[in-house]
Amino acid sequence: MNPLSQLLPADELARRVEERTSWTCAVSIGDKGGGTGLLVSRNVVLTNYHVILPLLRQPQLARVSSCRFDFVEDPETGDTLEGVRVPFAERWEGPSRPFSPADETGADIGFKPDELDFALIYLAEPIGEAPVARGSYRRSSRGWLPLPSEPPLPRVGAPLFIWQHPAVPESLMTSKLVVMPQKSAQGAVLSVLEAGLRLRHDVTTFHGSSGAACYDANLDLVALHHAGDPKLDANRLGKWNQAVPMRAIVAYLKREHQDLIGVVPPAPSRLMPVTLPNDRTTQESDMIEKRIRAATILMDRDSDEDGIAWARDKQNGPPGIVHVLACRHIDSHRNFLERLVRLSLAAQDEGIEIRQTREQAFLRAAAVGISGEAWQRVSLTWPPAKETPERALQLMRRDLQGIAASKHRTAVDIAVDIGSASVGREKQLVPGLAQFCASIASADRMQVFIVYYDRQATAPQNDKTLERRKQLVRMWTPENRPPGGGVCLHLGDIDSFDLGGWCRTVQGLWQGDEGTFIDEVEAVFSTGKLPMLEAERGVTPILRRNLTGSA
């Protein structure tokens, strides 16, 4: 007989699975990656120390960091639910302890009792007290998993379960990682090291799984996944993964942070009535985050978008394929590119009414109303600054030729850290790249966007690369474009005037006082122009209030 085996009510295991799905989140640290987290109090998330390390080095990243809950696949429909993003609190930093040098080498010994690779993050909202509406799963409050006062130390051979948000390469042609909807995996404990300071297991994990909770057979919290075997075989597989037992983490917290142990929700969460998938309330709950995402993609930059369309038109000279963008991290260039890929590139010679109809269909997250053949998006890596222009172009040719030969229309985005870009080299390389692209593809089959961005500029006052950005967008003028050359754009701040057309499009989706909505948006810009990312954060609560009722 297994002494750890418990007799539970028939539906208890299913309840525990649903709860742990609700408590698991994807932790995002700006554009520096992230990991997985577990909600352990009303607004406190547990993850790894190394997940937040970029934030400790660059505190300004807190403004663009968040935890994303309910980012899952609906088991009934197969659709991916966008989930709910909760930003970090202004004072986000809770107790934490660094990892051990032995974690990086794969050693079996050398761990110290305070080298535990954990961190607690405070969120801006008490998400644990908010209701949950995830597909057909409904609860009056999310709740959380209290940190156990006496967590068990699992034995070798004991089963282990992990809920996680892995990050995988976006495509075979890029190393850029994309966070996946929540996944689960199971395995077993392989060994326990140094009297319970580490345990090794064989549960499948990937990049992005760091900080994921490890559960035993009864789904009790027993460890925090944090590392893998650094010695990989020919198939790039290690022999083990590694976790920090919760017994060691709790022992540390008891010494100075006893108040964080065993914070139980004030009352048991009660299952809310389940509604049918086609019920209007369910549809709105499932679609609200998608609509907000769609609305932020549509924000502003119509004139820049029109400039790209102008350059692609053969009536205005050689059709443009390669475009140059310069911006800061806070200029939200990713949304601009997604708008191009999802909407603009597929549209040909649309009038204002057709464009508004198409945008409104997109805002409803509808699959209809978008004209033209769909475009796919591929990310490529820019050659290092040490490479000469000739060598750099040679390195790019093979990937671009493969993309040009594809049966799909493809938008290629290449993100370049402006800190590593040599203006002299870039001004030689990019025109040559444009000419090469013109020789292998047409503007209606391939578009390339080279984005020089300042990843350090997470606040307006940190703008230290303005002059360099201005130099990089002087590759050529609209009147003197090289073969294959498109437009050179410097993405900057926006104001409420820039959002006039966007407000009318969004307002067209619900009945209400258009003036009130515009007044709310204008209030976001009461101090003047804002970087796009700050503008998006400012209008998101307005969108959530209004879009909830727009079906």
Side-chain angles (χ1 to χ4, degrees):
M1 296 288 291
N2 183 352
L4 299 179
S5 177
Q6 300 178 10
L7 281 175
L8 302 172
D11 62 349
E12 177 67 11
L13 183 60
R15 183 184 69 83
R16 292 187 180 187
V17 168
E18 290 284 12
E19 287 179 334
R20 279 142 188 79
T21 301
S22 294
W23 298 334
T24 301
C25 62
V27 181
S28 173
I29 310 297
D31 66 344
K32 301 293 185 180
T36 301
L38 173 70
L39 192 66
V40 295
S41 187
R42 54 183 53 84
N43 69 328
V44 182
V45 166
L46 172 67
T47 188
N48 287 145
Y49 176 88
H50 75 260
V51 169
I52 67 161
L53 189 55
L55 186 53
L56 298 176
R57 292 170 175 168
Q58 300 178 43
Q60 66 273 20
L61 288 173
R63 299 163 60 95
V64 290
S65 298
S66 64
C67 289
R68 187 179 185 183
F69 294 85
D70 302 329
F71 179 39
V72 300
E73 294 174 346
D74 190 321
E76 295 181 2
T77 66
D79 295 336
T80 297
L81 306 181
E82 291 297 304
V84 179
R85 296 179 187 268
V86 184
F88 286 14
E90 183 175 353
R91 296 182 178 180
W92 63 269
E93 189 174 355
S96 65
R97 293 306 303 165
F99 50 85
S100 168
D103 293 323
E104 298 182 284
T105 63
D108 296 337
I109 58 174
F111 308 102
K112 296 179 181 178
D114 62 348
E115 294 174 336
L116 300 171
D117 197 12
F118 84 90
L120 291 166
I121 300 168
Y122 290 96
L123 302 179
E125 302 171 14
I127 184 71
E129 297 175 347
V132 181
R134 187 180 66 249
S136 60
Y137 178 73
R138 309 237 158 206
R139 291 185 75 84
S140 58
S141 64
R142 183 179 301 272
W144 57 84
L145 182 61
L147 291 173
S149 59
E150 297 294 337
L153 182 65
R155 301 180 300 177
V156 174
L160 212 60
F161 300 84
I162 296 179
W163 277 259
Q164 57 189 294
H165 282 280
V168 297
E170 187 175 43
S171 72
L172 296 176
M173 293 179 284
T174 178
S175 58
K176 179 181 177 181
L177 297 178
V178 177
V179 177
M180 299 178 68
Q182 193 177 135
K183 306 293 181 183
S184 63
Q186 68 182 79
V189 176
L190 301 178
S191 61
V192 178
L193 308 179
E194 292 222 274
L197 291 180
R198 296 292 187 274
L199 67 81
R200 287 179 175 166
H201 62 84
D202 62 2
V203 183
T204 298
T205 61
F206 292 89
H207 291 287
S209 303
S210 292
C214 304
Y215 302 97
D216 64 11
N218 296 313
L219 298 187
D220 291 326
L221 177 63
V222 294
L224 192 67
H225 170 74
H226 81 131
D229 185 355
K231 300 174 183 177
L232 306 182
D233 61 21
N235 296 317
R236 300 191 60 77
L237 297 175
K239 295 181 180 179
W240 45 262
N241 284 323
Q242 187 169 281
V244 181
M246 285 304 302
R247 175 173 291 186
I249 294 175
V250 168
Y252 171 81
L253 289 172
K254 281 183 175 180
R255 296 200 293 269
E256 298 183 25
H257 306 283
Q258 179 67 42
D259 58 309
L260 293 170
I261 306 298
V263 182
V264 179
S269 299
R270 180 176 59 84
L271 281 172
M272 298 172 65
V274 176
T275 52
L276 295 175
N278 61 353
D279 180 83
R280 177 183 174 122
T281 303
T282 302
Q283 291 176 334
E284 291 177 357
S285 298
D286 291 348
M287 299 296 286
I288 184 63
E289 295 302 321
K290 288 184 179 180
R291 289 171 175 161
I292 292 173
R293 172 74 176 136
T296 55
I297 289 173
L298 289 179
M299 284 177 64
D300 183 41
R301 299 210 169 110
D302 282 338
S303 59
D304 292 334
E305 183 181 340
D306 291 340
I308 292 171
W310 177 88
R312 293 175 62 206
D313 191 336
K314 62 183 179 181
Q315 295 183 4
N316 299 316
I321 298 176
V322 174
H323 310 277
V324 177
L325 280 65
C327 62
R328 303 158 298 176
H329 171 76
I330 51 177
D331 291 318
S332 194
H333 67 275
R334 289 185 176 87
N335 274 359
F336 179 60
L337 292 178
E338 187 159 353
R339 171 176 178 163
L340 287 169
V341 173
R342 300 278 295 275
L343 294 168
S344 305
L345 294 181
Q348 299 292 331
D349 301 322
E350 288 186 342
I352 294 178
E353 292 184 2
I354 297 177
R355 171 177 286 195
Q356 288 181 342
T357 300
R358 176 169 54 87
E359 290 177 345
Q360 288 184 3
F362 179 69
L363 282 168
R364 294 189 181 96
V368 297
I370 300 177
S371 61
E373 179 186 341
W375 284 64
Q376 67 173 3
R377 184 174 172 184
V378 171
S379 298
L380 294 182
T381 301
W382 198 236
K386 66 180 181 180
E387 303 292 352
T388 65
E390 294 78 14
R391 173 62 178 162
L393 180 56
Q394 184 179 1
L395 292 172
M396 296 295 297
R397 282 182 175 177
R398 183 173 180 179
D399 284 339
L400 290 169
Q401 286 174 328
I403 292 170
S406 169
K407 63 180 180 179
H408 300 288
R409 296 187 178 195
T410 306
V412 180
D413 68 83
I414 306 171
V416 186
D417 184 353
I418 201 165
S420 63
S422 166
V423 175
R425 188 196 80 154
E426 303 306 295
K427 286 192 172 184
Q428 295 182 59
L429 171 58
V430 175
L433 182 71
Q435 187 170 358
F436 173 72
C437 288
S439 71
I440 62 171
S442 62
D444 64 346
R445 303 299 303 177
M446 185 169 76
Q447 290 284 287
V448 179
F449 300 93
I450 303 172
V451 183
Y452 297 98
Y453 78 107
D454 182 355
R455 66 173 68 227
Q456 309 297 333
T458 55
Q461 60 269 27
N462 292 339
D463 193 356
K464 300 177 181 179
T465 60
L466 177 60
E467 187 55 38
R468 180 176 290 191
R469 297 201 306 274
K470 288 181 177 179
Q471 292 176 9
L472 286 166
V473 294
R474 294 174 188 149
M475 295 278 185
W476 54 75
T477 65
E479 299 78 20
N480 191 28
R481 294 183 291 129
V487 294
C488 300
L489 302 173
H490 189 194
L491 304 182
D493 294 352
I494 66 167
D495 58 22
S496 59
F497 178 79
D498 295 317
L499 296 183
W502 174 81
C503 285
R504 289 188 291 274
T505 299
V506 174
Q507 181 64 32
L509 290 180
W510 65 80
Q511 294 182 354
D513 186 347
E514 180 177 334
T516 300
F517 175 68
I518 294 177
D519 288 344
E520 288 183 301
V521 172
E522 288 181 346
V524 173
F525 298 89
S526 59
T527 59
K529 288 192 172 186
L530 294 174
M532 178 63 82
L533 195 59
E534 290 193 12
E536 291 172 5
R537 291 167 68 95
V539 303
T540 293
I542 302 171
L543 289 168
R544 183 170 281 113
R545 286 196 300 271
N546 285 279
L547 288 173
T548 297
S550 62

